[in-house]
Amino acid sequence: MTTFDSTPDSVAGGTAPHVLCAGDRFITAASLAEAARSAFGPGTRAVEYRTSWPDVPFGAVDGVREASGDPAELAALAADSEVVLTHLAPITRAVFEAAPSLKVVGVTRGGPVNVDLAAATEHGVPVVFLPGRNLGAVAEFVVGLMVTLPRSVGVASRELAAGRWDARYFRFELTGLELRAATVGLVGLGAVGSRVAELLRGFGSRVLAYDPYATPEAADKAGVDLVPLPTLYATSDIVSAHARLTDDTRKMFGAEAFAAMKPGAHFINTARGELVDQAALLAALESGHLAGAALDVFDPEPPDPADPLLSRPDVILTPHLAGASRQVALESVERVTAEVAGFLHSGVLDHCANPQWQDHGRHRT
């Protein structure tokens, strides 16, 4: 990892804030610094901190999750910072304790799990985050899987790469449905599920959804039919997981759920690996009850190389890529700096992960 002060001497020490820009190889420190200078003024002192994610995996660090970087290095760099902008850097208690001037942390993620929110609140520092920041990328990825999975693209590609030209997928019983003829079941009708439904309207699919929190108005807007979960399972040619991970939804896709699904259905999970009992999914595939699956998320991540799901030709596997697009990276930087700039100007936040921050510690609006 590399750190350096990217501000020219001629503007250092101006009235604009000192900003720590902690980036990686997806959302770069340079892009955060450029956006900070544009949003906060030309006198902004932007210190860049770089990590090697995704080339080096993220992990748990000092009480935070899915983080990349050294908290001690970040604490030293944040000592005189008023703003921290980051994607995955571990913004731990040590960072907050080392930064008495810190006013706000901006995180370019839908879930700022790399920030110690309790410590942020205790120190009176709001944490900006970006709900729905990658919903477009994820939704398009999901629809792409809905096109390719039933049409045997994954298994045919593997076979051709292995030197086998096999036209058996033209046999009637092995051909798959076009989306215009498919019934798609969405388990969860939040931002991503609603966008998937919107895209599927263009294909002419019948779309069902189960979401205990969705209103009839939201379903009408998305163009879906809200149905009980057993109905969705029994009717859908493709079942796609979009539920939030809670104690109630953990392992909700288990043996009972897979058994209730329509014989020959396909299952897709781009939400959270912990939603799925992977042993039960394997059993449903081995029995032939499910025709195939596509998994972008796993429990644990990365999965064990010996996991038998990884070697099955009827499973499409990707390493948590659904949210990776250039638009996500560029727009996330623009959104987070704009919201932080608005907060510094007016004290107002649209997306704050710790709304109790004003009740604790120091106030710096």
Side-chain angles (χ1 to χ4, degrees):
M1 54 195 67
T2 306
T3 64
F4 60 93
D5 187 333
S6 65
T7 306
D9 291 341
S10 59
V11 296
T15 58
H18 291 191
V19 184
L20 172 57
C21 301
D24 45 62
R25 301 196 69 176
F26 176 52
I27 294 183
T28 67
S31 68
L32 290 168
E34 181 179 359
R37 285 189 288 270
S38 176
F40 308 144
T44 299
R45 179 173 176 244
V47 175
E48 299 181 21
Y49 177 88
R50 301 172 177 174
T51 75
S52 297
W53 185 86
D55 298 342
V56 177
F58 58 52
V61 182
D62 290 357
V64 300
R65 300 186 292 116
E66 297 181 10
S68 175
D70 185 329
E73 294 178 351
L74 288 159
L77 291 169
D80 63 350
S81 296
E82 296 161 272
V83 176
V84 171
L85 300 176
T86 189
H87 179 218
L88 294 175
I91 311 303
T92 64
R93 180 172 294 276
V95 175
F96 289 105
E97 291 176 348
S101 300
L102 189 58
K103 293 184 173 71
V104 59
V105 172
V107 184
T108 58
R109 304 181 68 178
V113 295
N114 55 307
V115 179
D116 188 329
L117 294 180
T121 300
E122 291 171 20
H123 287 80
V125 178
V127 177
V128 175
F129 72 117
L130 303 180
R133 64 130 185 186
N134 59 7
L135 71 89
V138 175
E140 289 188 12
F141 195 90
V142 170
V143 173
L145 292 173
M146 290 179 179
V147 172
T148 57
L149 180 61
R151 303 286 296 279
S152 301
V153 172
V155 61
S157 177
R158 286 191 187 191
E159 291 180 355
L160 191 56
R164 295 190 299 274
W165 178 281
D166 193 338
R168 75 180 186 276
Y169 298 106
F170 256 101
R171 296 177 186 172
F172 180 81
E173 67 273 16
L174 296 181
T175 55
L177 293 175
E178 297 176 31
L179 282 182
R180 65 188 173 95
T183 297
V184 177
L186 307 177
V187 182
L189 195 63
V192 174
S194 295
R195 178 59 176 159
V196 170
E198 180 183 347
L199 294 175
L200 288 174
R201 287 204 298 269
F203 288 89
S205 305
R206 180 192 179 200
V207 184
L208 309 178
Y210 169 77
D211 189 325
Y213 304 103
T215 64
E217 292 76 17
D220 288 342
K221 183 177 180 181
V224 307
D225 295 325
L226 284 178
V227 297
L229 194 55
T231 302
L232 183 148
Y233 286 157
T235 310
S236 299
D237 301 297
I238 303 169
V239 176
S240 188
H242 300 286
R244 289 184 178 275
L245 179 63
T246 67
D247 290 340
D248 291 334
T249 62
R250 192 178 303 274
K251 298 293 190 288
M252 69 175 294
F253 297 100
E256 184 177 349
F258 292 125
M261 291 181 190
K262 182 178 179 180
H266 294 81
F267 175 72
I268 295 172
N269 185 20
T270 58
R272 288 287 181 179
E274 297 92 332
L275 294 172
V276 178
D277 181 335
Q278 293 178 183
L281 174 59
L282 176 64
L285 292 166
E286 288 179 335
S287 71
H289 183 71
L290 292 185
L295 303 174
D296 185 54
V297 289
F298 303 86
D299 181 24
E301 287 190 0
D304 185 336
D307 186 335
L309 280 172
L310 274 60
S311 60
R312 290 194 62 85
D314 52 1
V315 180
I316 294 177
L317 304 145
T318 48
H320 210 141
L321 288 180
S325 76
R326 290 191 178 183
Q327 284 67 39
V328 169
L330 295 172
E331 293 169 7
S332 295
V333 168
E334 292 175 1
R335 284 181 58 192
V336 79
T337 52
E339 182 150 352
V340 168
F343 170 74
L344 293 176
H345 176 71
S346 67
V348 175
L349 286 171
D350 292 327
H351 303 105
C352 181
N354 58 332
Q356 298 81 19
W357 69 273
Q358 295 184 85
D359 301 329
H360 297 79
R362 56 197 188 241
H363 297 175
R364 305 184 190 84
T365 59

